[in-house]
């Protein structure tokens, strides 16, 4: 179940990053109620985990690497938790 939660959160991070690019390039309009609700939900779900990483990372101008760093950390955590220590004992 924890593996599923980590996978869902990784997909939410990817969706949040893609949606932020679409908003930044004015492809989607946040004035649309559906877009606003989705953007607000993704922000509320991902921002508590991304904010501490943003404080640590150096400012790279308009490039935000915090979602990528968090995704890599989550993949590392998932592999650490579910790594089979004794594979195929026979």
């Amino acid at each position: 179940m924890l593996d599923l939660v980590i996978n869902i959160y990784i997909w939410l991070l990817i969706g949040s990053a893609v949606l932020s690019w679409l908003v930044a390039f004015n492809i989607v309009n946040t004035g649309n109620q559906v877009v606003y609700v989705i953007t607000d939900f993704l922000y509320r779900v991902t921002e508590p985990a991304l904010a501490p990483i943003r404080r640590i990372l150096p400012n790279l101008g308009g490039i935000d690497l915090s979602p990528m760093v968090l995704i890599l950390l989550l993949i590392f955590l998932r592999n650490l938790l579910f790594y089979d220590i004794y594979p195929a004992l026979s």
Side-chain angles (χ1 to χ4, degrees):
M1 174 120 171
L2 187 59
D3 184 41
L4 179 65
V5 171
I6 291 173
N7 281 332
I8 290 172
Y9 198 74
I10 288 172
W11 282 108
L12 288 174
L13 285 166
I14 292 170
S16 175
V18 169
L19 189 60
S20 72
W21 295 336
L22 294 175
V23 169
F25 290 122
N26 206 16
I27 295 172
V28 294
N29 183 9
T30 55
N32 183 343
Q33 186 66 26
V34 174
V35 173
Y36 177 77
V37 168
I38 294 170
T39 305
D40 186 51
F41 169 74
L42 289 174
Y43 178 81
R44 289 175 188 258
V45 169
T46 60
E47 190 59 27
L50 292 174
I53 296 172
R54 285 189 184 123
R55 284 194 298 266
I56 295 171
L57 288 177
N59 187 3
L60 298 174
I63 301 172
D64 184 16
L65 297 178
S66 60
M68 185 174 57
V69 171
L70 184 57
I71 288 171
L72 290 173
L73 287 172
L74 287 172
I75 291 171
F76 175 75
L77 176 68
R78 185 180 60 196
N79 289 341
L80 186 68
L81 289 174
F82 300 110
Y83 178 72
D84 189 14
I85 297 174
Y86 302 106
L89 288 178
S90 44

